[in-house]
Amino acid sequence: MRHARVKPCDQDTWHHCYNRTVGTAHDRPFDAADKEQFIRILLRVSKLYVVQPVAFQIMDNHFHLLLRTPAQLPSEEETCRRYEAYYRGKRHLVPGTTACRRWQARLRDVSWFLRLIQQLYTMWYNRTRPVPRRGPLWADRFKNTVLETGSAVWCCLLYIENNAVRAGLVANASEYRFGSYGRWLQSGRHPLAKEVCSTLLPLLQSLFGLADLPALRQALGQALAEAHADHNGTTLASSSATTPDPSSAAASRLRYWVDGLVIGSELFVRRVMAGLYGSYAARRRLANPRDLVPDGSLWAWRRLRPLPVT
């Protein structure tokens, strides 16, 4: 039974989005060219929507995205400009029309954003196989975990960027060019620099004093190195006492980042879920795993059991 997706609309919201291809866990359908095409589609669609991706990791059979959706709708003029630029003038929207208002609501919706990416990629993938294939490519609806603005976003960022290391594909996250961090270090330019500067950097500056991209690059490198050392059972001195310990967040695979509906402080998790499930949220026992962060400051509403819609 499907349930309503958690998409708070009263505030800017961070999402960790994930989906896996059809087949078994051992199937690896994506090669290097396939991953490059996914990144191209992601960058193209992000110019249409006001949903702002700040990190990605494209693996052999699944993907991870870290996104922020704004609470405010784009203006009708901005909606028309983005729409016509995306379709290169072949389609038009007129401000004030029903179609314009419909697209205005879509452009900030994470569901429509992922729907278009997955549709475009599936069409391309099916068409370009040696033997053209038909049918769905993705196993199910994408999963999204709502993250509280703050340390939950930082820890999730580390978890995403370290995915290839956990999978054993590379020894260091900087070596994997199909992730935003690895692509950044190998090319010298962040593929999502505009989105990172407008959304992620202000957050990290208020939390940890990371004022620019070089500071973020250094902090990410140090945190991922600590996670790698923790995974190998060694100790690495941290360069910052103000950032959360990343070892547990990034070093091992945690189900909470994929199957959790909401991650953040206990108050944030209960407030978000109460808005969707009413009084049921006040009675539900939350998960407070020390695997997320050792100090227990992050709580999770898990997707381990179906939640009744009231």
Side-chain angles (χ1 to χ4, degrees):
M1 177 180 177
R2 289 191 173 188
H3 301 283
R5 191 179 294 282
V6 182
K7 296 186 294 185
C9 296
D10 59 339
Q11 61 183 6
D12 296 344
T13 306
W14 290 92
H15 298 265
H16 171 217
C17 298
Y18 161 93
N19 208 354
R20 180 176 291 274
T21 59
V22 294
T24 70
H26 302 289
D27 292 336
R28 300 289 186 269
F30 297 159
D31 59 19
D34 299 331
K35 297 173 186 177
E36 289 286 356
Q37 179 65 14
F38 190 100
I39 295 171
R40 283 193 289 268
I41 290 175
L42 168 65
L43 297 179
R44 179 189 171 199
V45 173
S46 65
K47 294 179 181 179
L48 170 62
Y49 285 78
V50 294
V51 176
Q52 297 169 302
V54 299
F56 60 80
Q57 194 83 188
I58 316 303
M59 304 296 287
D60 293 344
N61 60 4
H62 67 278
F63 66 82
H64 295 266
L65 300 176
L66 181 59
L67 317 166
R68 194 191 76 156
T69 57
Q72 185 175 0
L73 290 173
S75 66
E76 292 187 354
E77 292 73 18
E78 176 71 5
T79 299
C80 294
R81 184 192 67 78
R82 286 176 174 265
Y83 181 89
E84 294 181 5
Y86 178 79
Y87 288 106
R88 301 175 183 177
K90 297 179 181 179
R91 297 185 183 182
H92 300 278
L93 275 181
V94 178
T97 61
T98 301
C100 180
R101 288 190 292 270
R102 183 169 61 247
W103 272 97
Q104 190 179 15
R106 283 184 184 181
L107 291 193
R108 71 162 185 181
D109 193 311
V110 66
S111 295
W112 283 101
F113 179 76
L114 265 296
R115 176 180 177 177
L116 181 56
I117 289 175
Q118 294 186 151
Q119 282 182 343
L120 291 175
Y121 187 76
T122 300
M123 292 167 59
W124 174 86
Y125 186 86
N126 288 353
R127 185 177 65 249
T128 56
R129 297 309 93 188
V131 178
R133 71 184 295 274
R134 298 178 63 184
L137 176 62
W138 306 104
D140 202 350
R141 293 200 306 171
F142 73 90
K143 296 180 180 180
N144 77 301
T145 301
V146 171
L147 307 169
E148 183 179 17
T149 300
S151 61
V153 175
W154 172 251
C155 291
C156 186
L157 174 64
L158 299 179
Y159 181 81
I160 291 173
E161 297 292 11
N162 206 46
N163 202 290
V165 177
R166 287 195 306 274
L169 300 180
V170 292
N172 191 294
S174 63
E175 301 170 6
Y176 192 70
R177 64 188 177 97
F178 307 111
S180 47
Y181 176 72
R183 209 171 189 83
W184 184 11
L185 265 64
Q186 292 184 30
S187 68
R189 183 179 183 276
H190 199 295
L192 300 167
K194 180 180 178 181
E195 292 81 359
V196 168
C197 290
S198 63
T199 60
L200 187 61
L201 273 182
L203 165 64
L204 297 181
Q205 183 174 14
S206 63
L207 287 175
F208 315 129
L210 305 180
D212 51 27
L213 286 175
L216 173 59
R217 178 172 171 169
Q218 181 179 359
L220 268 176
Q222 177 67 23
L224 292 171
E226 292 174 14
H228 182 66
D230 181 80
H231 182 70
N232 292 334
T234 58
T235 302
L236 187 66
S238 174
S239 63
S240 174
T242 59
T243 56
D245 179 5
S247 58
S248 56
S252 58
R253 182 180 181 273
L254 299 177
R255 189 177 176 186
Y256 297 100
W257 293 115
V258 173
D259 290 320
L261 288 171
V262 186
I263 292 178
S265 65
E266 182 179 8
L267 178 62
F268 173 80
V269 173
R270 291 199 182 278
R271 182 176 64 81
V272 171
M273 298 309 296
L276 186 62
Y277 295 108
S279 60
Y280 179 78
R283 304 191 303 270
R284 176 70 181 264
R285 182 179 179 182
L286 303 183
N288 183 217
R290 293 303 190 269
D291 290 338
L292 288 174
V293 285
D295 63 5
S297 60
L298 293 183
W299 296 68
W301 188 290
R302 296 177 295 177
R303 191 190 274 105
L304 305 186
R305 293 181 180 177
L307 300 177
V309 179
T310 57

